[in-house]
Amino acid sequence: MSETTPQPLTVKDIPIVGNKELRKVICAAGLGNAIEWFDFSVYGFLAVIIGHTFFASAPQSVQLIASLATFSIPFLFRPMGGAIFGYLGDKYGRKNILSFTIILMSASTFAIGLIPSYATIGVFAPLLLLLAKIIQGLSVGGEYAGAVVFVSEYSPDRKRGFMASWLDFGSIAGFLVGALVVSTISLAIGQDAMGDWGWRIPFFISLPLGLIGLYLRKSLDESPTYEAQNNNSAEAEEQEKVETTSVGTVIKENLNGIVISCLLVVAVNSTYYMLLTYMPNFLSVNLGYSYDHGVLIIIVVMAFMLLVQPLVGFLSDKIGRKPFLFLGSVGQLFLAIPAFYMVMHHNVFMIAGGIAILAVLLCCFIGVMASILPALFPTDVRFRTLAICFNIAVLIAGLTPPIAAWLVETLQSLYMPAYYLMVVAVFGFIAAVKMPETANRPLKDATPVASSKTEAKEVLQEHFDYIEDQVNEIENKISDLEEQRQNLVDQHPKLN
């Protein structure tokens, strides 16, 4: 393999990404997250009808369990999807793989609306439903990680926190739209028609959304960071080397980033599922509120989160990502019990206030997570490593609702979910301590990205200052090592 001497970086080497192009990237990438959570919402709200439609031979109490179990199956296939699409995304580009995953995801969701009922085709109905959910799991395994990588590699260094925060904004928006669509259709056609055929309509909506996302993604260029790597012949050779490197070597070289990302994702998604999935059931089963009442409160809180989350991303570009991780983890550690104390009062304002506290703390996490994770890994293995870590951690976090319910039932304490949140808050705190500050810095082993020529000059100078600091730090370490060496040599008669 030929060796080349790296040339000094100049302003011409800094990619310029304008606001118009950035908005297009955010829309294209965020739409995939919105479709994922749209399906999450629709399936959850229609779980009873889906259970009756596809598991009609089972007792009514078992139908809902079977429906929810089918919903959970895709989580098992997400790590496999992350590994497959992550590898392909590192080899063939982020844009191409994201174009494939969004159409695969929307098509599998659309297919659920086409599957005949158990009364029509018997056991093939639940089998086809399971197949559609497995395909969803594989595609989602590459979708979120790919979108996070794509947006982060496209975003200027000074705006990455704000830009990446819109991805999870899309997730929450997709959930809310799903709830609104189901409620509107049910109100318009009535419960009987909804159970007969109306439930299929929300699933059909996913296909046109996917086609819009496909069009937007196809119209974009590849991310500047990925293109810069492939355009450099020396780095291209290094890419070939990495592709033949064992999984063990990749893990060893990126172990710190892997540990941080897994800790962070478990902390964030455990809190996410506790608040948005478990809480409505907690309010209805354990506190006696109607399920619809609990869901309405959650929807209001999620709408509030839509306002807070981008603000956290914006501020993280000004003061850093780590302060928000510390605020979210420490706040959750000390406020989880007071928040649940408020939730358990029979006053709607107290309930909303307690949930709002947890929601603000969650926003501290999800407002910065999408900008932190890609910065932990180098470009050549960023997609695959992040996708596998993220989906394994999500699989673990997905156990949060049943574990919380089991703890409450077994230990007969309504505060067990709060204690659970306190434990995962420690994970978030450890991640905050271990991670390097990534705000206003280029991605790992990547060229800086700017939003204008003027900013490019400033970013380049900041990059040079950072390199000088790193060189000085290395020289100080070398000096200390030389001093230690000399001390040892002085103690040995034959080495003097």
Side-chain angles (χ1 to χ4, degrees), residues 138-216:
L138 291 171
S139 59
V140 169
E143 173 62 34
Y144 181 82
V148 165
V149 168
F150 191 62
V151 170
S152 292
E153 290 182 346
Y154 239 110
S155 298
D157 298 337
R158 294 182 176 180
K159 295 182 178 180
R160 186 169 293 116
F162 181 59
M163 293 296 108
S165 69
W166 288 99
L167 289 173
D168 285 297
F169 179 96
S171 301
I172 298 174
F175 187 96
L176 289 175
V177 170
L180 181 62
V181 166
V182 171
S183 299
T184 302
I185 294 174
S186 179
L187 185 64
I189 66 177
Q191 285 293 328
D192 292 339
M194 191 70 179
D196 187 25
W197 55 269
W199 68 269
R200 299 179 183 272
I201 298 175
F203 291 102
F204 292 154
I205 294 175
S206 66
L207 187 59
L209 291 177
L211 292 174
I212 294 172
L214 177 64
Y215 169 77
L216 291 173

Side-chain angles (χ1 to χ4, degrees), residues 122 130 170 212 214 229 250 285 315 329 336 344 409 415 428 430 478:
L130 180 61
I212 294 172
L214 177 64
Q229 175 189 260
V250 174
V285 174
L315 291 176
S329 55
M344 286 186 281
E409 184 67 25
Y415 282 104
I430 295 173
I478 292 174

Side-chain angles (χ1 to χ4, degrees), residues 85-97:
F85 292 119
Y87 172 80
L88 295 175
D90 283 332
K91 187 173 184 179
Y92 298 110
R94 293 45 166 132
K95 169 189 167 182
N96 294 328
I97 298 306

Side-chain angles (χ1 to χ4, degrees), residues 301-312:
V301 170
M302 291 181 74
F304 167 70
M305 289 173 63
L306 290 177
L307 302 176
V308 177
Q309 186 177 316
L311 178 61
V312 171

Side-chain angles (χ1 to χ4, degrees), residues 267 325-326 329-330 365 424-434:
L325 286 189
F326 281 121
S329 55
V330 173
F365 285 127
V424 298
V426 174
F427 292 176
F429 183 83
I430 295 173
V433 171
K434 290 181 64 68

Side-chain angles (χ1 to χ4, degrees), residues 23-105:
R23 285 193 293 270
K24 196 173 181 181
V25 169
I26 292 298
C27 290
L31 194 54
N33 289 347
I35 293 173
E36 174 192 349
W37 281 84
F38 176 84
D39 169 73
F40 183 93
S41 175
V42 166
Y43 195 103
F45 284 114
L46 296 174
V48 173
I49 296 176
I50 290 173
H52 178 71
T53 302
F54 293 102
F55 303 96
S57 63
Q60 189 170 355
S61 60
V62 177
Q63 291 177 5
L64 179 59
I65 296 173
S67 176
L68 293 176
T70 305
F71 173 76
S72 301
I73 289 296
F75 283 90
L76 300 176
F77 290 86
R78 287 177 64 152
M80 183 188 301
I84 295 171
F85 292 119
Y87 172 80
L88 295 175
D90 283 332
K91 187 173 184 179
Y92 298 110
R94 293 45 166 132
K95 169 189 167 182
N96 294 328
I97 298 306
L98 284 174
S99 296
F100 182 73
T101 56
I102 194 171
I103 201 65
L104 187 65
M105 183 170 59

